[in-house]
């Protein structure tokens, strides 16, 4: 069958393209061919053979479709309308154009198809707050209260009513999917769309949530993006679709209430938990006075915090029929929260198309596929997985895992009472998840963690490469994590440059990549990263944290690359008998000189293979 999809390059649409069975031909409305091509490049070769783009715009007559593109759409069997921005701050005119006007255009297309042939099914993705269902679409009083709602909701729900009424008149089976707040997928938690849960994460990490809106009686319905796609994909497969509404969310008693949710967010972004409750009515009233704008929290965001439960029987029936698991995975919430925290700090961040997110245990990594023994790279403080992309790109094509250590980048903090042990255990678990031995590379603090991990599971290490490992205690000035965290909160780019030069991290300012400075400054916007950094610095300033078991490390597998211009750290005497290669470079040489570093890594990997 031919399926026409709007919003195909959006947060939900991208997941739909991956899940709609390949025996269907999926025709995707796109405004940007670049976005579409980027999407296609992320799919396996067999996954896009029947995906065809047509160029147009939801707000234009006939969706802006012309010529052959329009003819393709006129021959579809199923329409999935998933288009429209997730921006609860839309003004009235924009909201009317992208939702209500768009619904009229897509409904007109459906009518034209129906006149030519029988349109089998229309699937519309709306939202859990819509008041409409199969029984009240002809009741004008149902939507009366919409005039008092924000433009985003008002127009989205008017679009719901318009499409329901039009499909009813045309006799076209209509499935309306009403998801809760859409969050990251059920495995990695990766949430590309800011504007939903991110508003709550942002408010909490800025310490603006000392009181919980509504408290235990209220909740925020949530659903994983891949679960939305799996339900819609199942609806596509229905032989005899019926008019129905599917509330895609869990029952209230199976979802964290607002107190539990805000407390969980505070725990993951590493700020104090809320100390009380504030009436939702009072908070909305304050926001209407302008407080929301003052603290940069959209007034409309409070509308998604609700008290009642929602009917889920139709969703549950579909889940049983098609063997779907569409329940909220609460163990994934830390990854959702952390991913949003990362995106709020790095709003313009992009990384090579060669890499994609992967989650294992408590860690998230940027992964490049390839053949051969996997390489695992561990960063140090004032860094993250992203900082190693130039180094990874300088290595021959083989599988590479650029790991974000707990509390940094996209990885949740480990919450182990022993700071160093928590890092070691996370890396050990990661290595044990591989089916074969790995090449383990650690830089700075990551070198210390790598050495500890290798000492515990040497049999799973093919090669251990330490780049400027922290094997001697850091300066005593880092002993107080509270003081360090305070200074990190004040750090700016100029101050950070001075610190880098004073410590011998780089030989001169020209060596410091702009992307690195920007990355670290953005990372330090997060209290999670500031707290994790200060705790690590405090831990490595104490000698007992650096005691590694040399007896557990096979020296035939070990190589150390050391930058002699480092002014803060040195090689302990007990390590001086190990194979060490010296370079006239600073502490951060894997970042300042990725090509040279890669040459040594590749040389040692080749030698170990002989």
């Amino acid at each position: 069958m031919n399926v026409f999809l709007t919003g195909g390059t959006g947060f939900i649409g991208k997941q739909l393209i991956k899940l709609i069975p390949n025996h269907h031909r999926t025709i995707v409305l796109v405004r940007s061919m670049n976005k579409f091509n980027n999407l296609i490049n992320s799919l396996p070769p067999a996954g896009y053979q029947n995906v065809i783009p047509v160029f147009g715009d939801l707000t234009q007559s006939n969706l802006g479709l012309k010529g052959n593109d329009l003819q393709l759409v006129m021959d579809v069997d199923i329409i999935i309308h998933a288009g429209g921005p997730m921006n609860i701050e839309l003004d009235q005119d924009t909201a009317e154009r992208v939702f209500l006007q768009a619904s009229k255009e897509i409904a007109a297309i459906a009518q034209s198809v129906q006149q030519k042939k029988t349109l089998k099914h229309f699937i519309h993705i709306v939202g859990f707050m819509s008041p409409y269902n199969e029984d009240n679409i002809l009741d004008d009083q149902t939507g009366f209260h919409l005039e008092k709602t924000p433009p985003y909701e008002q127009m989205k729900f008017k679009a719901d009513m318009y499409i329901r009424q039009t499909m009813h008149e045309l006799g076209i089976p209509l499935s309306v999917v009403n998801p809760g707040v859409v969050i990251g997928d059920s495995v990695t938690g990766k949430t590309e769309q800011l504007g939903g849960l991110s508003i709550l994460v942002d408010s909490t990490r800025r310490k603006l949530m000392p009181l919980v809106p509504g408290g235990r009686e209220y909740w925020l319905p949530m659903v994983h993006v891949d679960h939305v796609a799996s339900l819609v994909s199942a609806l596509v497969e229905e032989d005899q679709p019926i008019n129905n509404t599917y509330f895609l969310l869990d029952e209230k008693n199976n979802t964290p209430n607002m107190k539990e949710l805000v407390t969980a967010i505070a725990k993951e972004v590493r700020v104090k938990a809320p100390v009380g409750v504030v009436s939702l009515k009072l908070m909305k009233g304050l926001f209407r006075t302008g407080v929301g704008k003052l603290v940069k929290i959209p007034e409309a965001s409070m509308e998604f915090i609700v008290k009642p439960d929602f009917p889920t029987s139709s969703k549950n029936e579909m889940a049983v029929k098609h063997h779907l698991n569409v329940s909220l995975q609460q163990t994934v919430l830390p990854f959702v929260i952390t991913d949003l925290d990362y995106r709020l700090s790095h709003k313009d961040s992009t990384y090579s198309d060669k890499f994609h997110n992967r989650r294992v245990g408590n860690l998230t990594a940027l992964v490049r596929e390839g053949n051969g023994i996997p390489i695992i790279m561990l960063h140090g403080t004032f860094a993250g997985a992203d900082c190693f992309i130039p180094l990874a790109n300088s290595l021959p094509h083989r599988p590479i895992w650029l790991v974000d250590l707990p509390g940094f980048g996209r990885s949740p903090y480990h919450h182990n009472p022993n700071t160093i042990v928590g890092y070691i255990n996370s890396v050990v678990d990661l290595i044990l998840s591989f089916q074969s031995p790995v090449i383990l590379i650690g830089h700075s603090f990551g070198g210390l963690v790598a050495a500890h991990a290798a000492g515990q599971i040497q049999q799973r290490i093919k090669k251990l490469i330490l780049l400027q490992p922290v094997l001697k205690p850091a300066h005593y000035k880092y002993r107080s994590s509270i003081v360090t965290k305070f200074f990190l909160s004040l750090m700016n780019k100029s101050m950070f440059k001075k610190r880098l030069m004073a410590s011998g991290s780089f030989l001169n300012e020209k060596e410091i990549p702009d992307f690195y400075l920007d990355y670290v400054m953005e990372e330090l916007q997060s209290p999670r990263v500031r707290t994790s950094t200060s705790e690590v610095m405090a831990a490595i300033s104490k000698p007992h944290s650096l005691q590694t078991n040399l007896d557990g490390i096979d020296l035939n597998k070990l190589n150390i690359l050391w930058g002699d211009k480092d002014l803060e750290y040195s090689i302990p005497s007990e390590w001086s008998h190990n194979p060490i290669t010296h370079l006239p470079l600073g502490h951060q040489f894997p970042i300042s000189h990725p090509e040279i570093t890669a040459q040594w890594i590749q040389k040692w990997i080749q030698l170990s293979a002989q």
Side-chain angles (χ1 to χ4, degrees):
M1 283 189 295
N2 295 324
V3 179
F4 178 46
L5 172 65
T6 70
T9 57
F11 185 38
I12 296 173
K14 287 192 286 190
Q15 293 287 334
L16 279 169
I17 288 177
K18 294 176 183 178
L19 288 183
I20 293 176
N22 205 32
H23 59 261
H24 299 303
R25 182 167 67 162
T26 305
I27 301 161
V28 184
L29 182 72
V30 299
R31 287 192 303 169
S32 168
M33 289 305 297
N34 284 337
K35 279 189 176 181
F36 177 78
N37 290 333
N38 289 337
L39 168 62
I40 293 302
N41 290 336
S42 70
L43 299 176
Y48 60 84
Q49 293 177 354
N50 282 338
V51 179
I52 302 169
V54 291
F55 194 77
D57 189 315
L58 276 174
T59 63
Q60 296 181 15
S61 177
N62 279 332
L63 304 181
L65 296 167
K66 299 176 182 178
N68 291 334
D69 287 351
L70 182 59
Q71 292 305 312
L72 275 174
V73 173
M74 287 298 109
D75 194 37
V76 298
D77 303 286
I78 298 172
I79 292 176
I80 304 173
H81 183 30
M86 171 53 191
N87 181 359
I88 61 176
E89 296 184 88
L90 290 178
D91 60 64
Q92 187 79 18
D93 290 341
T94 304
E96 183 171 359
R97 186 172 69 255
V98 298
F99 289 124
L100 184 56
Q101 183 59 36
S103 71
K104 294 178 179 179
E105 298 301 336
I106 193 75
I109 290 287
Q111 183 174 8
S112 297
V113 174
Q114 182 76 346
Q115 290 171 350
K116 181 181 178 183
K117 56 183 289 189
T118 300
L119 185 63
K120 180 182 176 183
H121 200 177
F122 192 110
I123 303 170
H124 188 198
I125 301 176
V126 186
F128 73 98
M129 293 292 287
S130 178
Y132 297 106
N133 55 51
E134 289 71 39
D135 299 324
N136 64 9
I137 57 172
L138 301 179
D139 181 5
D140 292 337
Q141 295 301 311
T142 301
F144 178 74
H145 73 285
L146 289 183
E147 300 304 324
K148 299 180 181 180
T149 60
Y152 174 84
E153 283 189 315
Q154 181 186 134
M155 291 304 162
K156 197 167 188 179
F157 302 151
K158 283 188 174 183
D160 179 20
M161 178 183 68
Y162 183 86
I163 286 179
R164 285 180 184 273
Q165 291 178 344
T166 305
M167 296 307 116
H168 176 77
E169 293 170 2
L170 296 173
I172 298 172
L174 172 66
S175 293
V176 176
V177 178
N178 283 335
V181 173
V182 182
I183 61 175
D185 74 68
S186 60
V187 178
T188 68
K190 180 179 175 182
T191 311
E192 296 178 5
Q193 179 174 271
L194 296 179
L197 183 62
S198 71
I199 296 171
L200 195 56
V201 172
D202 186 39
S203 302
T204 304
R205 78 176 200 156
R206 289 192 289 130
K207 303 179 183 178
L208 297 175
M209 283 290 164
L211 303 175
V212 178
R216 296 180 185 275
E217 294 185 356
Y218 287 80
W219 64 306
L220 183 72
M222 294 177 286
V223 62
H224 296 290
V225 64
D226 54 319
H227 289 173
V228 180
S230 64
L231 179 68
V232 174
S233 180
L235 288 169
V236 168
E237 295 298 288
E238 287 285 280
D239 291 329
Q240 295 181 321
I242 59 173
N243 295 318
N244 214 337
T245 300
Y246 303 88
F247 282 90
L248 190 45
L249 39 76
D250 283 358
E251 289 75 12
K252 181 179 179 179
N253 60 2
N254 291 330
T255 302
N257 60 47
M258 281 303 296
K259 187 176 190 306
E260 292 168 338
L261 179 59
V262 177
T263 300
I265 293 172
K267 179 181 179 181
E268 294 305 328
V269 300
R270 311 204 69 186
V271 299
K272 289 183 180 180
V275 296
V277 173
V278 61
S279 160
L280 193 62
K281 184 178 180 180
L282 174 61
M283 182 168 278
K284 288 180 179 179
L286 287 172
F287 277 17
R288 281 193 289 272
T289 67
V291 172
K293 290 183 179 179
L294 184 65
V295 297
K296 299 180 181 178
I297 300 176
E299 178 185 343
S301 64
M302 294 295 106
E303 299 297 327
F304 296 92
I305 300 172
V306 294
K307 192 172 184 178
D309 220 326
F310 294 84
T312 58
S313 57
S314 57
K315 177 264 293 186
N316 293 335
E317 289 170 4
M318 281 291 294
V320 171
K321 180 178 179 180
H322 292 272
H323 309 289
L324 306 176
N325 179 8
V326 289
S327 297
L328 181 69
Q329 304 299 301
Q330 296 195 36
T331 57
V332 180
L333 277 179
F335 289 88
V336 173
I337 295 164
T338 301
D339 188 74
L340 288 171
D341 182 49
Y342 172 88
R343 292 174 189 277
L344 287 165
S345 295
H346 304 274
K347 290 183 178 177
D348 298 321
S349 175
T350 58
Y351 50 84
S352 170
D353 292 338
K354 298 176 183 176
F355 292 86
H356 60 273
N357 278 27
R358 187 81 64 82
R359 172 204 163 187
V360 174
N362 190 48
L363 296 173
T364 300
L366 297 180
V367 180
R368 186 185 76 186
E369 306 294 348
N371 299 315
I373 300 172
I375 294 175
I376 297 175
M377 289 190 183
L378 310 179
H379 63 84
T381 54
F382 300 103
D386 303 60
C387 299
F388 276 175
I389 289 177
L391 174 55
N393 285 337
S394 299
L395 289 168
H397 197 69
R398 62 168 63 237
I400 294 180
W401 289 60
L402 307 180
V403 175
D404 276 320
L405 290 172
F408 296 88
R410 305 165 184 82
S411 288
Y413 187 63
H414 55 65
H415 300 291
N416 190 304
N418 186 307
T419 300
I420 301 298
V421 170
Y423 286 97
I424 296 168
N425 290 348
S426 296
V427 172
V428 167
D429 290 344
L430 169 67
I431 294 170
L432 292 177
S433 72
F434 286 82
Q435 300 301 311
S436 62
V438 302
I439 297 167
L440 182 60
I441 301 174
H443 172 238
S444 189
F445 170 64
L448 173 67
V449 175
H452 275 289
Q456 291 187 20
I457 49 170
Q458 183 58 51
Q459 72 280 6
R460 303 301 298 270
I461 307 298
K462 176 70 174 177
K463 190 73 180 174
L464 174 63
I465 299 174
L466 306 181
L467 312 174
Q468 209 73 6
V470 173
L471 301 171
K472 272 194 171 183
H475 197 279
Y476 67 85
K477 66 184 177 183
Y478 298 116
R479 289 283 177 95
S480 171
S481 62
I482 295 174
V483 173
T484 301
K485 183 166 65 172
F486 172 73
F487 280 108
L488 290 179
S489 69
L490 302 177
M491 185 83 75
N492 58 37
K493 190 178 289 189
S494 175
M495 294 166 60
F496 186 52
K497 272 187 180 181
K498 289 179 181 179
R499 182 193 181 281
L500 292 173
M501 298 307 300
S503 63
S505 293
F506 298 89
L507 299 185
N508 53 64
E509 288 192 10
K510 291 182 179 179
E511 273 196 351
I512 309 175
D514 287 338
F515 83 86
Y516 172 68
L517 289 175
D518 291 339
Y519 179 86
V520 175
M521 288 298 98
E522 289 169 358
E523 274 282 272
L524 292 178
Q525 293 176 23
S526 166
R528 171 178 61 94
V529 176
R530 292 197 300 270
T531 304
S532 300
T533 302
S534 61
E535 288 181 352
V536 167
M537 297 303 293
I540 63 176
S541 69
K542 299 164 186 172
H544 66 82
S545 297
L546 282 78
Q547 294 174 358
T548 53
N549 182 14
L550 278 172
D551 295 335
I553 297 176
D554 185 346
L555 299 184
N556 293 318
K557 298 178 180 180
L558 172 66
N559 285 96
I560 299 175
L561 196 58
W562 189 264
D564 287 334
K565 302 303 180 181
D566 190 336
L567 300 178
E568 277 199 353
Y569 298 99
S570 59
I571 295 284
S573 58
E574 63 268 26
W575 283 81
S576 60
H577 302 296
N578 297 311
I580 302 174
T581 300
H582 295 267
L583 298 175
L585 300 173
H587 185 88
Q588 298 283 15
F589 66 81
I591 294 171
S592 62
H593 294 80
E595 297 86 358
I596 293 174
T597 308
Q599 289 171 8
W600 282 103
I601 291 173
Q602 182 59 19
K603 176 183 177 181
W604 290 326
I605 291 174
Q606 289 174 339
L607 287 174
S608 68
Q610 294 177 0

